[in-house]
Amino acid sequence: MDVGSRTTKVVLMSDQQMIASGVIPTGANSAGAAQKTLHLACERAGCPRKKIQRIVGTGYGRVSLDFVDKTITELTCHAKGCHFINTAVRTVLDIGGQDSKVIRVDDAGNMTDFIMNDKCAAGTGRFLEVVAQALEIDLDALGDLSLEAGRPCKINSTCSVFAESEVVSLLAKGEHRANIVAGINRSFATRIGNMVKRLGISGEMVFVGGVAKNHGLVDALSDFMQTHFLKLDVDPQIMGALGAAVMARQLA
C-alpha cells in the first residue's frame, strides 16, 4: 500500500500477478484510508483479508501503518514497480501531490540515484490543484482541455501562489481556459524537465503518479526534453503500491 498525501493506493498480488487494486482519497486519517483501500481491493479480488500473507507500506503516510510487516521508501517502491512492469526502464519520473522525484534504476530494479523536489508546491500535483481551482474546472479535465488550445498562454511564474494570481488575471482579460491550461503545462514541464536533466536520462524513461494522467503535460514534457516516455499498461497512479506489493511478495 502507498499512502500518499492526496490519495491512498493498494495493490494485491498473487503468483507474480497483480489481481486487484484500489485508490481512494487519503483525507485526514492515513491509517483509516489504508484500511478502507485494502478492503476495497480485497472485495475486487474476491480475496478475504485473512489470506494476505505480507503487507508492505510506502508513501508519505507509511509511518502511520502499524499493521504492516514492513515500510519502505517510495523511491525504492517506484523503482521496483516500474521494473516489474518493464525491465527496460532505467529512469522514473514520479510526480505526487507534495513532491516530484526522478529515479535512476539498474537492471535489477534497484534505485541507484535520485533527485527530488520537496521544498515547494511548484512542480507537484498541488500546483495543478491550485490552477484547477482558479479555473473552476475538475482536476482530471486539465489534460484533455489543454489539447484544445489554439495559442498557449505564457505563464511567467512557477510559484503556485503567483501562478494562481496570473491565471485569475488572464481569465479577467477573457483568455480561453484551454490556452491557459496549455501555458500552465508548458511552465510546469520546464521546471520538471530541468530537474530531469540535472540527473540525466538513462535508457527508457517512464512517467508515473497521478499527474501522469494529464495528457497535455505528458506532451509538454516530451517536447521540452525532446524525448519520449515508455508506455505502461498499468494505471500510473498505483506504481508505488505495485512496487510495495513486489517487495511484500519477496518477504512472503
Side-chain angles (χ1 to χ4, degrees), residues 152-167:
C153 297
K154 182 174 176 58
I155 304 296
N156 296 309
S157 178
T158 56
C159 168
S160 59
V161 176
F162 294 125
E164 181 181 19
S165 298
E166 203 167 346
V167 166

Side-chain angles (χ1 to χ4, degrees), residues 6 23-24 53 104 116 143 145 154 193 201 208 211 234 238:
R6 313 302 297 172
V23 180
I24 70 169
Q53 296 178 359
R104 187 165 291 158
M116 190 171 185
L145 182 61
K154 182 174 176 58
I201 300 173
V208 299
V211 176
V234 173
I238 66 170

Side-chain angles (χ1 to χ4, degrees), residues 29 31 71 104 108 120 139 146 154 180 188 201 245:
N29 185 347
T71 59
R104 187 165 291 158
C120 174
L139 180 63
S146 68
K154 182 174 176 58
I180 297 174
F188 195 106
I201 300 173

Side-chain angles (χ1 to χ4, degrees), residues 7 64 87 95 125 151 157 168 204 222 242:
T7 58
S64 68
T87 57
I95 302 181
R151 188 176 62 183
S157 178
V168 171
E204 295 286 359
S222 296
L242 175 59

Side-chain angles (χ1 to χ4, degrees), residues 84-230:
F84 177 81
I85 293 298
N86 192 320
T87 57
V89 172
R90 293 293 178 272
T91 306
V92 178
L93 169 61
D94 167 40
I95 302 181
Q98 288 195 339
D99 59 34
S100 301
K101 302 172 280 286
V102 186
I103 308 164
R104 187 165 291 158
V105 183
D106 67 15
D107 58 4
N110 299 310
M111 178 189 68
T112 59
D113 199 2
F114 74 94
I115 189 170
M116 190 171 185
N117 163 41
D118 61 354
K119 304 297 184 186
C120 174
T124 70
R126 179 57 185 158
F127 175 81
L128 295 178
E129 282 186 357
V130 169
V131 169
Q133 289 168 5
L135 291 169
E136 297 183 343
I137 61 175
D138 189 80
L139 180 63
D140 294 335
L142 286 179
D144 291 338
L145 182 61
S146 68
L147 301 179
E148 301 174 8
R151 188 176 62 183
C153 297
K154 182 174 176 58
I155 304 296
N156 296 309
S157 178
T158 56
C159 168
S160 59
V161 176
F162 294 125
E164 181 181 19
S165 298
E166 203 167 346
V167 166
V168 171
S169 177
L170 287 167
L171 285 173
K173 293 176 182 177
E175 187 59 71
H176 194 281
R177 281 178 167 79
N179 292 335
I180 297 174
V181 173
I184 285 291
N185 281 338
R186 286 189 176 186
S187 174
F188 195 106
T190 298
R191 184 181 184 91
I192 295 299
N194 283 327
M195 186 175 76
V196 174
K197 289 179 178 179
R198 287 201 299 275
L199 183 65
I201 300 173
S202 174
E204 295 286 359
M205 180 167 61
V206 292
F207 182 10
V208 299
V211 176
K213 296 180 179 181
N214 181 332
H215 308 301
L217 179 58
V218 173
D219 290 346
L221 275 164
S222 296
D223 288 344
F224 179 79
M225 295 186 297
Q226 290 296 293
T227 188
H228 74 284
F229 293 106
L230 192 66

Side-chain angles (χ1 to χ4, degrees), residues 30-47:
S30 298
Q35 294 280 17
K36 288 179 182 177
T37 317
L38 178 58
H39 179 71
L40 174 62
C42 285
E43 278 193 333
R44 289 175 174 173
C47 171

